[in-house]
Each structure stands twice: as C-alpha cells, then as structure tokens.
Amino acid sequence: MTTIDAPSAKGSGSAATDRFKTERLSADTPPERAKMIYDDVLDALGGVIRKHEVTYAEYKVLKQWVIDVGEGGEWPLWLDVFVEHHVEDVNYSRHGFHGTKGSIEGPYYIPNAPKLPSVCTMPMRDKDLSADQLVFSGQVTDLDGTGIGGARIEMWSNDADGYYSQFAEGMDIPEWNLRGTIVTDDQGRYEITTLHPVPYRIPHDGPTGKFIESYGGHPWRPAHLHLIVSASGRNAITTQLYFRGGDYIDNDVASAVKPELMLEPRKGEDGRYHQEYGFVLDPAPED
Ligand code: DHB
Ligand code: FE
C-alpha cells in the first residue's frame, strides 16, 4: 500500500482548473475602470521592483514560476490562497452586511451537491466515521431572528487525510463524499453530523509549494468547514467555520480566519463533538 500524506498539487490543481474553466464568466468592467485597475496594478508592481531593486535573475525566476503555475494548473489554488481574502473582504464590508460574516470560497466548491434533509449525516465512508464526529446544529434566520424554512446549506470539507472529494485523483473517494446541500426544516433548523475537520495542508508539491518554501512559510490552513448558505430573497453567504484555539488559527496560509467564525464544540457523553451555530442572512441587495 502506498501512503500519501497530503493531496498532490498535480491532481487537485488541474481538477480545480478544469472545474473553473467550465464557467466562462464575464464581469462587464467598463474600459475606464479596467484602465484604472491595470494602471494601479502595474504601478504597485513597479513600486515593489524599485523598492527592492529586483534583480534580473529574480525577474527570470518569476517568469519561470508563472509558467510553472499555469502548466501545473495551480492558478485557482494560488489565487484563492493569496488573493481571494482581499476580494472577499471588500465585497462584504463595503455593502454593510449585518448577517453572518463571509470568508473565501477556495478552489474546491462544487455546485449542486445532493440534497440532504434537515437532520442528516454527511456522506462518509467507514474510515471517515472512525474519525471524530461533529454534530452541528442551529437555525438559519433573517436579521430579525425569524427562521427561514427551506434555506439551503451547502457544506463541503476535507477528509481526515486532507482530501476533498473530486479533487484527489487516484484516491478512490466517492464523488460526493463530505459534500451536501442540507435543506432546513420549516423553522430554518438543521442538525448535521459530519467529520470533525482537521488542519489541512494546501497541495504543496508543485509551484505553489515552491513559492511558500521560497519565503520559509508553511502550507497549513486551520481545520475548517466550508459553507454557502442561501434562501430566496436573501443574500447568500459563502463562509468558513473554524475551531477556537486550533492549530494555525493565527497563521492561516490563506489569511481567511475571522473571529466571528469560531466554533468551540464540546465533547458529549456519546463521544461526539456538539456545536450549535446559527446563520443570519441579510436581505438580497437591490440592484
Ligand atoms: C485552498 C484550499 C482550501 O481548502 C481552502 O479552504 C482555501 C484554499 C487552496 O488550495 O487554494
Ligand atoms: Fe478548504
């Protein structure tokens, strides 16, 4: 038997790139705004080059590395780890949302995961069931506390070995393992049993790993659950939940931890961890 101790960048990177390429998005950015943004990006880059007197050797290493990231299919990985948190932050804080805070989506979301009832267990294999279990319950509400029946909680997380289903080539993980769309009951309530997540290393055997190594960093993210909570007429939130006091909470490689998104589950007599946490949705923004 071969043991692999973390997802390989090659498998998960190219799978993330392939999935992303299926959505050809357009942003309707007018040319004036595009010019302002490009000018500022290039000015900022020029400023860094001048400030640090970047050498030709360093410039050529950058060119080679950019080529490598693309060929390895790692742009979704690299961008979501090092850039997405800024995009998430300006979009949520600028509009003055009052509900549950968002966090980055990351590269491993798959839409339309199979529906699960409000009281459910996430799809898991026997080996996932032998890891710690987390019973996660609560209510999706409006800002005034009214429960939202039929709200959708899309949840996805990595398994105890650090793999996300559909992004771990050759690991034989069922397609929808640890992924589901939970539909709340008529009061907005849910009780989801899932694997208690563990800290996760982003794929680090490719150019993203090389990048991290080059500055003496580490590839770890704290244990986290990914969620998208949505309901008709409400602003959908993409977020993550973390575990207070857990490893890498204070130095997440993806800079995506927020104090409002902390869980502190208690171990029950049944041997499982229990946590209540509710989601509050803002009304959908008007166009
Ligand atoms: C990446 C992976 C994650 O699980 C995550 O939450 C954020 C980013 C990544 O590999 O880019
Ligand atoms: Fe993740």
Side-chain angles (χ1 to χ4, degrees):
M1 203 182 101
T2 43
T3 45
I4 302 170
D5 67 351
S8 107
K10 189 137 183 52
S12 77
S14 52
T17 293
D18 288 346
R19 194 197 68 79
F20 193 78
K21 283 195 329 200
T22 63
E23 303 172 39
R24 277 280 149 194
L25 301 168
S26 86
D28 295 329
T29 307
E32 305 75 40
R33 175 172 160 82
K35 169 130 178 68
M36 278 192 302
I37 293 174
Y38 299 156
D39 281 352
D40 281 355
V41 167
L42 294 175
D43 279 355
L45 196 56
V48 170
I49 291 167
R50 287 166 188 284
K51 176 174 170 191
H52 297 285
E53 300 186 356
V54 169
T55 65
Y56 250 98
E58 287 166 340
Y59 175 63
K60 287 181 178 173
V61 166
L62 169 69
K63 272 202 314 203
Q64 185 57 58
W65 176 80
V66 168
I67 293 166
D68 292 345
V69 175
E71 286 181 352
E74 287 194 28
W75 279 118
L77 254 60
W78 192 89
L79 285 167
D80 290 351
V81 167
F82 294 105
V83 179
E84 187 185 354
H85 67 100
H86 296 295
V87 180
E88 192 282 319
D89 224 43
V90 291
N91 280 277
Y92 282 92
S93 49
R94 187 161 54 184
H95 293 294
F97 290 119
H98 301 288
T100 303
K101 285 259 183 291
S103 185
I104 66 171
E105 179 178 305
Y108 301 138
Y109 169 61
I110 306 265
N112 305 317
K115 285 205 173 141
L116 298 169
S118 62
V119 177
C120 66
T121 297
M122 295 292 279
M124 281 189 263
R125 300 159 295 175
D126 288 348
K127 74 179 277 196
D128 301 311
L129 284 164
S130 62
D132 284 338
Q133 300 291 300
L134 173 69
V135 182
F136 178 79
S137 59
Q139 190 181 21
V140 181
T141 66
D142 283 320
L143 294 179
D144 67 1
T146 313
I148 308 174
R152 292 168 300 279
I153 302 174
E154 295 174 78
M155 187 188 257
W156 69 104
S157 53
N158 53 282
D159 66 16
D161 298 327
Y163 295 103
Y164 285 88
S165 57
Q166 304 189 39
F167 294 95
E169 214 174 34
M171 296 304 295
D172 210 19
I173 301 175
E175 190 177 14
W176 297 104
N177 205 52
L178 292 168
R179 294 179 184 274
T181 302
I182 299 94
V183 181
T184 63
D185 72 9
D186 55 10
Q187 302 190 6
R189 294 190 184 279
Y190 50 85
E191 185 191 289
I192 307 161
T193 301
T194 189
L195 183 152
H196 188 309
V198 292
Y200 164 82
R201 244 184 320 178
I202 64 162
H204 55 95
D205 59 338
T208 300
K210 222 172 176 180
F211 172 81
I212 292 168
E213 214 179 277
S214 73
Y215 64 78
H218 70 73
W220 289 93
R221 297 214 61 220
H224 59 279
L225 294 168
H226 289 273
L227 303 128
I228 295 179
V229 185
S230 58
S232 75
R234 307 336 190 269
N235 184 58
I237 50 157
T238 300
T239 194
Q240 299 189 26
L241 293 171
Y242 303 95
F243 296 85
R244 194 179 302 287
D247 291 341
Y248 308 105
I249 278 288
D250 296 323
N251 54 2
D252 175 13
V253 66
S255 313
V257 176
K258 296 186 184 181
E260 298 87 349
L261 301 176
M262 248 7 120
L263 305 179
E264 223 170 340
R266 281 165 199 279
K267 198 163 189 172
E269 282 173 12
D270 58 0
R272 303 183 302 176
Y273 287 86
H274 291 259
Q275 174 74 51
E276 275 199 37
Y277 190 92
F279 298 97
V280 181
L281 298 185
D282 287 86
E286 283 164 34
D287 287 325

